[in-house]
Amino acid sequence: TISGGNRGINVSDKTMLGVYGSRIEGYKDIGIASWSNTVVDVKNVVVDGGNLGRLGIRIGGNSNGIIKDSTVENNTSDGIGVYSSSDLWMGTTILQNNGDNGIEVYNSGHIYLNEGVRLINNNNNGVSIGRNSSAKIENIEITSSGNNGLQIDKGSSVWIENSIINGGKTGIRVANNSEAHMYGNMISNFTYSGIQVEDGSVATIGGNNDSDGNSRGNTITGPIEKGVHISSNSQAELFANDISGYSKTGIEVNRNSSVRIGADWDQDTYSTIQRPEYGNTINGAELTGESVEDWQAGIQVSESSTIQLHRNLIENNSGGGIRVSENSVIELGGGNIIQD
């Protein structure tokens, strides 16, 4: 056990550090801090800020880190910070009860989050990716975040698949000229939106079945106000998603945005039984114990926006399947089923 002091462990200037089977606690500033071209390997370690320490683990200054089989918790700011052209690979680790983000990646940082990573009850975002940073995320869980489950901001990019994101204000937020690719995720139980794409950002939400026949669409369910919200000069494509449990709109597009909802590929071989592989299912039925607005819509398009619709099922919306207003355009392709 390493206890007390301003920093538990501090390394810099081309140092290699291995921390194994240890506990780090009682620090005031940072539990494990790396600066300037270091390599850090952390396995089977508990880093506990005790609600007094500021930051659990820092990987910064063109450094590299590996964290596995560990717990980072109870810091007043972030659990882990990855900064300034640094890389972090993480597997089978819990980040919980931190005062800001579970993980923050900033200023051209890069992270790889793999199976067994769990982010629980972090006060701001579960994962925050900002200022030209990137992430590849597979098979993780983000639950009970105070703000967004996953935030991608300021020219950053993320690939996330087969993950669970549950609880908070918004599930995945893509903002300020950022890019996201989302496949096979379960996104549920948010105050506002399951997925929000805004401010000149781009997103691919779902895709055709993989080579084994497994769906690559996302399941987005409530209780939520809006399933997917695309706004402010943004673009998105939605394929094979199942959107339900929303009180206001399944998909909302506004402020000069454009969205392709469903695909008309493979017209020569397409069969109607394949519809869920190409189009989206947008179901406004009330969840047990929840209510919906009288004007609830499956899709709402406004403020000079454009959508294309192909092979979608839109059903059970109290105010109608599709609502278009304020100089917006809808291109209605084939194979759509609207039942309200």
Side-chain angles (χ1 to χ4, degrees), residues 71-103:
T71 300
V72 183
E73 60 188 359
N74 302 323
N75 295 280
T76 61
S77 183
D78 301 325
I80 294 174
V82 182
Y83 313 118
S84 304
S85 303
S86 296
D87 289 11
L88 173 65
W89 183 97
M90 184 184 301
T92 321
T93 291
I94 296 173
L95 298 102
Q96 62 185 2
N97 303 326
N98 295 291
D100 199 351
N101 305 297
I103 303 172

Side-chain angles (χ1 to χ4, degrees), residues 13-293:
D13 299 326
K14 300 181 180 180
T15 302
M16 297 184 67
L17 171 70
V19 186
Y20 310 116
S22 303
R23 181 178 180 88
I24 299 170
E25 62 184 18
Y27 50 88
K28 295 178 181 178
D29 188 23
I30 306 173
I32 300 173
S34 71
W35 313 77
S36 183
N37 300 296
T38 58
V39 177
V40 177
D41 188 15
V42 176
K43 294 179 182 174
N44 193 25
V45 172
V46 175
V47 181
D48 187 347
N51 298 314
L52 296 173
R54 182 179 66 84
L55 174 63
I57 299 175
R58 182 191 195 276
I59 309 293
N62 197 35
S63 297
N64 292 277
I66 297 174
I67 301 174
K68 189 175 181 182
D69 299 325
S70 297
T71 300
V72 183
E73 60 188 359
N74 302 323
N75 295 280
T76 61
S77 183
D78 301 325
I80 294 174
V82 182
Y83 313 118
S84 304
S85 303
S86 296
D87 289 11
L88 173 65
W89 183 97
M90 184 184 301
T92 321
T93 291
I94 296 173
L95 298 102
Q96 62 185 2
N97 303 326
N98 295 291
D100 199 351
N101 305 297
I103 303 172
E104 182 183 43
V105 186
Y106 197 73
N107 197 17
S108 301
H110 311 279
I111 59 167
Y112 310 86
L113 303 182
N114 299 277
E115 186 171 2
V117 172
R118 300 176 64 201
L119 298 109
I120 306 166
N121 196 37
N122 295 290
N123 196 48
N124 191 8
N125 306 304
V127 179
S128 178
I129 314 295
R131 188 176 279 183
N132 304 309
S133 297
S134 65
K136 185 172 183 181
I137 301 171
E138 299 178 88
N139 298 296
I140 76 164
E141 295 184 22
I142 305 173
T143 57
S144 302
S145 302
N147 197 10
N148 308 302
L150 169 62
Q151 175 167 282
I152 308 105
D153 197 13
K154 297 179 181 175
S156 298
S157 63
V158 163
W159 179 295
I160 179 169
E161 61 181 329
N162 301 328
S163 295
I164 296 171
I165 306 176
N166 178 274
K169 294 180 180 177
T170 299
I172 299 176
R173 178 177 180 255
V174 189
N176 295 306
N177 302 298
S178 295
E179 180 177 352
H181 301 267
M182 307 168 234
Y183 305 104
N185 302 291
M186 171 66 77
I187 301 167
S188 61
N189 190 24
F190 291 95
T191 306
Y192 301 121
S193 303
I195 296 172
Q196 183 169 326
V197 183
E198 61 187 350
D199 301 324
S201 296
V202 178
T204 302
I205 303 170
N208 292 124
N209 289 1
D210 63 20
S211 57
D212 295 324
N214 299 313
S215 174
R216 298 177 73 219
N218 302 279
T219 298
I220 303 165
T221 191
I224 49 176
E225 288 188 353
K226 304 172 184 179
V228 177
H229 186 192
I230 314 296
S231 69
S232 302
N233 300 296
S234 297
Q235 301 177 39
E237 297 181 321
L238 285 82
F239 308 125
N241 301 289
D242 191 329
I243 303 171
S244 64
Y246 49 89
S247 62
K248 294 184 177 179
T249 50
I251 300 172
E252 182 167 331
V253 184
N254 61 10
R255 297 180 183 177
N256 302 295
S257 297
S258 61
V259 179
R260 183 178 186 179
I261 303 172
D264 59 353
W265 305 321
D266 304 331
Q267 293 188 24
D268 293 338
T269 60
Y270 173 74
S271 166
T272 55
I273 63 173
Q274 295 176 289
R275 189 205 60 74
E277 299 176 27
Y278 294 85
N280 303 273
T281 299
I282 305 164
N283 186 348
E286 293 182 12
L287 297 178
T288 301
E290 300 293 328
S291 61
V292 302
E293 300 289 349

